[in-house]
Amino acid sequence: MNHSSAVATWLMVLVMVGLNTAGDMTTARAMRRVGDFSEVRRKSGVLGVTIAVLTEPWFYLGLLAMTLSFFAMLAALSFIDLSVVIPASASLTFLLDLFGCQFFLKEHVSRRRWLSGILVLGGIILLRT
Amino acid sequence: MTELDKTTFARQHVHSMSFLRYFLLAVIILGSTFGDVYIAKGMKQIGVVTVSRWRDLLFAPLHFYVALGVVMLMMFYISYLASLSWADLSYIMPATTLGYVLTALMAHFMLGEHVSLTRWIGIIMISFGVGFITGGPSLTVTPTPEGVSPHLEIHR
Protein backbone atom coordinates (compact mmCIF):
# COMPACT_ATOMS: atom_id res chain seq x y z
CA MET A 1 0.00 0.00 0.00
CA ASN A 2 1.59 3.33 -1.04
CA HIS A 3 1.43 6.51 1.03
CA SER A 4 -1.52 8.15 -0.74
CA SER A 5 -3.66 4.99 -0.69
CA ALA A 6 -2.86 4.51 3.03
CA VAL A 7 -3.98 8.10 3.68
CA ALA A 8 -7.16 7.50 1.60
CA THR A 9 -7.88 4.26 3.51
CA TRP A 10 -7.51 5.81 6.97
CA LEU A 11 -9.42 8.92 5.92
CA MET A 12 -12.27 6.65 4.81
CA VAL A 13 -12.07 4.75 8.14
CA LEU A 14 -12.38 8.04 10.06
CA VAL A 15 -15.30 9.20 7.90
CA MET A 16 -17.13 5.87 8.37
CA VAL A 17 -16.49 5.76 12.14
CA GLY A 18 -17.70 9.36 12.54
CA LEU A 19 -20.85 8.79 10.48
CA ASN A 20 -21.66 5.42 12.08
CA THR A 21 -21.26 6.76 15.61
CA ALA A 22 -23.24 9.91 14.84
CA GLY A 23 -25.98 7.74 13.31
CA ASP A 24 -26.12 5.40 16.33
CA MET A 25 -26.20 8.24 18.86
CA THR A 26 -28.87 10.33 17.15
CA THR A 27 -31.06 7.31 16.32
CA ALA A 28 -30.87 5.99 19.89
CA ARG A 29 -31.74 9.44 21.25
CA ALA A 30 -34.67 9.70 18.82
CA MET A 31 -36.11 6.33 19.88
CA ARG A 32 -35.69 7.15 23.56
CA ARG A 33 -37.67 10.36 22.96
CA VAL A 34 -40.39 8.48 21.03
CA GLY A 35 -40.71 5.94 23.87
CA ASP A 36 -41.47 2.23 24.04
CA PHE A 37 -43.05 1.23 20.67
CA SER A 38 -45.37 -1.32 22.35
CA GLU A 39 -46.77 1.33 24.63
CA VAL A 40 -47.19 3.93 21.84
CA ARG A 41 -48.84 1.27 19.63
CA ARG A 42 -51.31 0.33 22.37
CA LYS A 43 -52.30 3.99 22.83
CA SER A 44 -52.39 5.15 19.20
CA GLY A 45 -51.86 2.15 16.90
CA VAL A 46 -49.19 1.42 14.30
CA LEU A 47 -49.96 4.75 12.59
CA GLY A 48 -49.28 6.48 15.90
CA VAL A 49 -45.86 4.80 16.12
CA THR A 50 -45.06 5.81 12.53
CA ILE A 51 -46.11 9.43 13.14
CA ALA A 52 -44.17 9.56 16.43
CA VAL A 53 -41.00 8.38 14.64
CA LEU A 54 -41.46 10.58 11.56
CA THR A 55 -42.04 13.74 13.62
CA GLU A 56 -38.89 13.22 15.70
CA PRO A 57 -36.10 15.56 14.44
CA TRP A 58 -33.26 13.39 15.87
CA PHE A 59 -34.53 10.53 13.70
CA TYR A 60 -33.73 12.50 10.52
CA LEU A 61 -30.23 13.34 11.75
CA GLY A 62 -29.67 9.62 12.36
CA LEU A 63 -31.10 8.72 8.95
CA LEU A 64 -28.87 11.30 7.24
CA ALA A 65 -25.73 10.01 9.01
CA MET A 66 -26.62 6.38 8.21
CA THR A 67 -27.38 7.18 4.55
CA LEU A 68 -24.05 8.98 4.14
CA SER A 69 -22.33 6.09 5.92
CA PHE A 70 -24.00 3.63 3.51
CA PHE A 71 -22.73 5.47 0.43
CA ALA A 72 -19.27 5.84 2.03
CA MET A 73 -19.27 2.05 2.50
CA LEU A 74 -20.33 1.47 -1.12
CA ALA A 75 -17.51 3.72 -2.30
CA ALA A 76 -15.04 2.03 0.09
CA LEU A 77 -16.10 -1.43 -1.09
CA SER A 78 -15.02 -0.60 -4.60
CA PHE A 79 -11.63 1.07 -4.20
CA ILE A 80 -9.82 0.43 -0.91
CA ASP A 81 -8.40 -2.43 1.11
CA LEU A 82 -11.41 -3.93 2.88
CA SER A 83 -9.31 -6.16 5.13
CA VAL A 84 -8.20 -2.94 6.84
CA VAL A 85 -11.29 -0.74 6.53
CA ILE A 86 -14.00 -3.10 7.84
CA PRO A 87 -12.33 -4.35 11.07
CA ALA A 88 -10.87 -0.92 11.84
CA SER A 89 -14.16 0.94 11.38
CA ALA A 90 -16.21 -1.75 13.17
CA SER A 91 -13.96 -1.84 16.25
CA LEU A 92 -13.44 1.95 16.45
CA THR A 93 -17.18 2.58 16.03
CA PHE A 94 -17.93 0.05 18.77
CA LEU A 95 -15.46 1.73 21.16
CA LEU A 96 -16.69 5.26 20.38
CA ASP A 97 -20.32 4.10 20.74
CA LEU A 98 -19.64 2.76 24.24
CA PHE A 99 -18.30 6.17 25.32
CA GLY A 100 -21.21 7.85 23.54
CA CYS A 101 -23.70 5.66 25.46
CA GLN A 102 -22.13 6.73 28.74
CA PHE A 103 -21.62 10.45 28.09
CA PHE A 104 -24.05 11.46 25.31
CA LEU A 105 -27.03 9.14 25.87
CA LYS A 106 -26.45 9.07 29.67
CA GLU A 107 -27.01 5.31 29.81
CA HIS A 108 -25.80 3.49 32.88
CA VAL A 109 -22.87 1.59 31.34
CA SER A 110 -22.19 -0.76 34.24
CA ARG A 111 -19.03 -2.77 34.90
CA ARG A 112 -20.83 -5.77 33.37
CA ARG A 113 -21.42 -3.82 30.12
CA TRP A 114 -17.86 -2.46 29.95
CA LEU A 115 -16.49 -5.99 30.47
CA SER A 116 -18.82 -7.41 27.80
CA GLY A 117 -17.91 -4.51 25.52
CA ILE A 118 -14.16 -5.15 25.92
CA LEU A 119 -14.66 -8.89 25.25
CA VAL A 120 -16.70 -8.15 22.13
CA LEU A 121 -14.24 -5.47 20.95
CA GLY A 122 -11.31 -7.88 21.34
CA GLY A 123 -13.34 -10.53 19.52
CA ILE A 124 -14.10 -8.19 16.59
CA ILE A 125 -10.40 -7.33 16.23
CA LEU A 126 -9.34 -11.02 16.30
CA LEU A 127 -12.14 -12.15 14.01
CA ARG A 128 -11.96 -9.46 11.36
CA THR A 129 -8.17 -9.06 10.95
CA MET B 1 -39.47 -8.78 35.85
CA THR B 2 -38.34 -5.45 37.22
CA GLU B 3 -35.36 -5.15 39.50
CA LEU B 4 -35.74 -1.58 40.63
CA ASP B 5 -34.67 -0.09 43.91
CA LYS B 6 -36.87 2.98 44.31
CA THR B 7 -35.01 4.16 47.41
CA THR B 8 -32.31 5.88 45.32
CA PHE B 9 -32.53 8.29 42.40
CA ALA B 10 -29.42 7.06 40.57
CA ARG B 11 -29.67 5.62 37.07
CA GLN B 12 -30.38 1.92 37.26
CA HIS B 13 -30.89 -1.04 34.97
CA VAL B 14 -34.13 -2.96 34.54
CA HIS B 15 -35.17 -5.93 32.38
CA SER B 16 -37.43 -4.92 29.47
CA MET B 17 -37.03 -7.91 27.11
CA SER B 18 -39.62 -10.49 26.02
CA PHE B 19 -39.62 -13.41 23.56
CA LEU B 20 -40.72 -11.13 20.69
CA ARG B 21 -37.98 -8.65 21.55
CA TYR B 22 -35.28 -11.35 21.50
CA PHE B 23 -36.73 -12.42 18.13
CA LEU B 24 -36.31 -8.85 16.83
CA LEU B 25 -32.68 -8.93 18.01
CA ALA B 26 -32.25 -12.02 15.81
CA VAL B 27 -33.80 -10.11 12.85
CA ILE B 28 -31.25 -7.31 13.47
CA ILE B 29 -28.39 -9.82 13.37
CA LEU B 30 -29.63 -11.72 10.29
CA GLY B 31 -30.74 -8.58 8.41
CA SER B 32 -27.43 -6.77 8.83
CA THR B 33 -25.34 -9.87 8.06
CA PHE B 34 -27.16 -10.94 4.89
CA GLY B 35 -27.69 -7.30 3.85
CA ASP B 36 -23.94 -6.68 3.87
CA VAL B 37 -23.23 -9.97 2.07
CA TYR B 38 -25.64 -9.21 -0.79
CA ILE B 39 -24.50 -5.59 -1.14
CA ALA B 40 -20.86 -6.70 -1.29
CA LYS B 41 -21.79 -9.30 -3.94
CA GLY B 42 -23.68 -6.67 -5.98
CA MET B 43 -20.88 -4.10 -5.76
CA LYS B 44 -18.33 -6.69 -6.91
CA GLN B 45 -20.48 -7.28 -10.01
CA ILE B 46 -20.80 -3.53 -10.64
CA GLY B 47 -17.02 -3.13 -10.48
CA VAL B 48 -14.71 -0.33 -9.41
CA VAL B 49 -16.50 3.00 -8.93
CA THR B 50 -14.23 5.89 -9.88
CA VAL B 51 -14.97 9.62 -9.83
CA SER B 52 -15.77 9.54 -13.56
CA ARG B 53 -18.25 6.68 -12.95
CA TRP B 54 -20.08 8.34 -10.03
CA ARG B 55 -23.45 7.54 -11.64
CA ASP B 56 -22.75 3.83 -11.04
CA LEU B 57 -22.68 4.54 -7.31
CA LEU B 58 -25.93 6.53 -7.49
CA PHE B 59 -27.73 3.77 -9.42
CA ALA B 60 -26.12 0.89 -7.49
CA PRO B 61 -29.29 0.36 -5.34
CA LEU B 62 -31.12 -0.67 -8.56
CA HIS B 63 -28.80 -3.67 -9.06
CA PHE B 64 -30.56 -6.96 -8.03
CA TYR B 65 -28.15 -8.04 -5.27
CA VAL B 66 -27.67 -4.49 -3.98
CA ALA B 67 -31.49 -4.08 -3.91
CA LEU B 68 -31.87 -7.42 -2.05
CA GLY B 69 -29.22 -6.24 0.40
CA VAL B 70 -31.06 -2.93 0.84
CA VAL B 71 -34.36 -4.77 1.61
CA MET B 72 -32.54 -6.86 4.26
CA LEU B 73 -30.96 -3.71 5.69
CA MET B 74 -34.42 -2.09 5.85
CA MET B 75 -35.68 -5.07 7.91
CA PHE B 76 -32.60 -4.64 10.08
CA TYR B 77 -33.26 -0.89 10.44
CA ILE B 78 -36.94 -1.20 11.45
CA SER B 79 -36.09 -3.89 14.03
CA TYR B 80 -33.18 -1.77 15.22
CA LEU B 81 -35.45 1.29 15.72
CA ALA B 82 -38.00 -0.81 17.65
CA SER B 83 -35.29 -2.37 19.83
CA LEU B 84 -33.80 1.02 20.67
CA SER B 85 -37.22 2.14 21.89
CA TRP B 86 -37.18 -0.42 24.72
CA ALA B 87 -33.50 -1.18 25.32
CA ASP B 88 -30.21 0.72 25.71
CA LEU B 89 -27.83 1.11 22.78
CA SER B 90 -25.07 -0.28 25.03
CA TYR B 91 -27.23 -3.45 25.33
CA ILE B 92 -28.27 -3.75 21.66
CA MET B 93 -24.87 -2.93 20.15
CA PRO B 94 -22.85 -5.90 21.51
CA ALA B 95 -25.72 -8.28 20.72
CA THR B 96 -25.67 -7.22 17.06
CA THR B 97 -21.99 -8.22 16.74
CA LEU B 98 -23.15 -11.87 16.73
CA GLY B 99 -23.49 -11.23 12.98
CA TYR B 100 -19.69 -11.39 12.69
CA VAL B 101 -19.73 -14.79 14.40
CA LEU B 102 -22.54 -15.96 12.10
CA THR B 103 -20.59 -14.90 8.99
CA ALA B 104 -17.45 -16.75 10.15
CA LEU B 105 -19.40 -19.90 11.08
CA MET B 106 -21.26 -19.89 7.74
CA ALA B 107 -17.96 -19.50 5.88
CA HIS B 108 -16.56 -22.49 7.78
CA PHE B 109 -19.50 -24.92 7.79
CA MET B 110 -21.23 -24.02 4.49
CA LEU B 111 -18.34 -22.91 2.31
CA GLY B 112 -15.67 -25.06 3.93
CA GLU B 113 -13.34 -22.09 4.49
CA HIS B 114 -10.52 -22.46 6.98
CA VAL B 115 -11.04 -20.53 10.25
CA SER B 116 -7.74 -19.86 12.03
CA LEU B 117 -7.19 -20.34 15.77
CA THR B 118 -7.10 -16.53 16.23
CA ARG B 119 -10.55 -16.27 14.65
CA TRP B 120 -11.95 -19.10 16.79
CA ILE B 121 -10.71 -17.19 19.87
CA GLY B 122 -12.44 -14.07 18.47
CA ILE B 123 -15.69 -16.05 17.99
CA ILE B 124 -15.53 -17.34 21.59
CA MET B 125 -14.80 -13.85 22.97
CA ILE B 126 -17.74 -12.27 21.11
CA SER B 127 -20.07 -15.12 22.12
CA PHE B 128 -19.10 -14.82 25.80
CA GLY B 129 -19.40 -11.02 25.68
CA VAL B 130 -22.84 -11.17 24.04
CA GLY B 131 -24.06 -13.92 26.38
CA PHE B 132 -22.85 -11.95 29.38
CA ILE B 133 -24.64 -8.74 28.33
CA THR B 134 -27.89 -10.23 27.02
CA GLY B 135 -28.29 -12.23 30.24
CA GLY B 136 -28.33 -8.94 32.14
CA PRO B 137 -30.79 -6.04 32.37
CA SER B 138 -31.50 -4.11 29.16
CA LEU B 139 -32.73 -0.61 29.99
CA THR B 140 -31.45 2.35 32.02
CA VAL B 141 -34.12 4.14 34.06
CA THR B 142 -34.00 7.01 36.50
CA PRO B 143 -36.33 6.61 39.49
CA THR B 144 -38.39 9.73 40.26
CA PRO B 145 -41.01 10.38 42.96
CA GLU B 146 -43.70 9.77 40.28
CA GLY B 147 -42.24 6.47 39.08
CA VAL B 148 -39.38 5.88 36.69
CA SER B 149 -38.20 7.79 33.66
CA PRO B 150 -38.65 6.66 30.90
CA HIS B 151 -42.02 5.17 31.79
CA LEU B 152 -41.50 1.44 32.13
CA GLU B 153 -43.72 -1.17 30.57
CA ILE B 154 -43.17 -4.50 32.28
CA HIS B 155 -43.05 -7.59 30.04
CA ARG B 156 -43.35 -11.08 31.37
Side-chain angles (χ1 to χ4, degrees):
Chain A
M1 188 186 294
N2 62 37
H3 180 70
S4 59
S5 72
V7 170
T9 299
W10 286 105
L11 203 63
M12 189 53 91
V13 169
L14 287 181
V15 167
M16 286 171 72
V17 168
L19 288 172
N20 285 338
T21 307
D24 286 339
M25 292 299 119
T26 47
T27 305
R29 172 159 285 184
M31 293 309 107
R32 186 50 51 88
R33 283 162 59 100
V34 167
D36 190 322
F37 275 17
S38 312
E39 202 180 332
V40 179
R41 186 170 60 90
R42 204 175 45 239
K43 282 180 189 161
S44 37
V46 176
L47 189 64
V49 176
T50 312
I51 290 170
V53 171
L54 294 180
T55 52
E56 176 52 56
W58 285 97
F59 167 73
Y60 290 100
L61 283 176
L63 200 60
L64 177 67
M66 285 184 173
T67 306
L68 291 175
S69 157
F70 174 74
F71 280 104
M73 187 187 76
L74 283 190
L77 277 168
S78 68
F79 77 94
I80 49 182
D81 187 358
L82 283 185
S83 63
V84 175
V85 173
I86 300 293
S89 71
S91 47
L92 284 174
T93 301
F94 189 88
L95 187 64
L96 208 60
D97 270 356
L98 270 180
F99 283 102
C101 288
Q102 172 96 52
F103 299 108
F104 180 73
L105 297 174
K106 310 283 183 203
E107 290 179 4
H108 175 39
V109 184
S110 62
R111 208 175 297 171
R112 180 189 190 116
R113 287 191 182 179
W114 278 113
L115 185 62
S116 302
I118 290 164
L119 268 175
V120 170
L121 183 63
I124 294 173
I125 294 168
L126 289 180
L127 192 60
R128 303 301 294 262
T129 48
Chain B
M1 189 186 356
T2 303
E3 293 171 354
L4 184 63
D5 177 8
K6 290 185 178 173
T7 57
T8 65
F9 291 87
R11 287 174 294 164
Q12 296 171 39
H13 284 151
V14 292
H15 289 273
S16 61
M17 297 300 283
S18 62
F19 177 76
L20 176 68
R21 292 174 177 192
Y22 281 117
F23 175 76
L24 279 182
L25 270 188
V27 175
I28 291 176
I29 294 162
L30 294 173
S32 63
T33 305
F34 286 100
D36 285 346
V37 166
Y38 284 123
I39 284 174
K41 189 172 178 171
M43 287 310 291
K44 281 213 175 89
Q45 289 184 1
I46 289 171
V48 176
V49 177
T50 54
V51 177
S52 60
R53 290 182 59 199
W54 62 273
R55 284 186 188 86
D56 286 352
L57 186 63
L58 203 62
F59 291 107
L62 297 178
H63 184 278
F64 175 73
Y65 282 116
V66 178
L68 190 61
V70 169
V71 169
M72 300 248 171
L73 288 182
M74 281 173 73
M75 284 168 58
F76 148 78
Y77 190 58
I78 291 168
S79 309
Y80 182 64
L81 290 182
S83 297
L84 283 175
S85 82
W86 55 63
D88 289 340
L89 179 62
S90 55
Y91 177 89
I92 299 290
M93 202 174 54
T96 58
T97 57
L98 267 187
Y100 299 142
V101 173
L102 188 69
T103 308
L105 292 180
M106 273 168 50
H108 180 64
F109 290 109
M110 291 171 69
L111 304 176
E113 286 181 11
H114 173 69
V115 176
S116 65
L117 178 65
T118 317
R119 290 190 173 187
W120 279 117
I121 296 171
I123 288 171
I124 293 167
M125 282 173 75
I126 292 179
S127 305
F128 267 104
V130 171
F132 197 42
I133 206 159
T134 49
S138 52
L139 180 68
T140 301
V141 292
T142 308
T144 64
E146 295 80 32
V148 293
S149 174
H151 174 72
L152 182 68
E153 191 185 6
I154 301 167
H155 293 269
R156 294 190 170 87

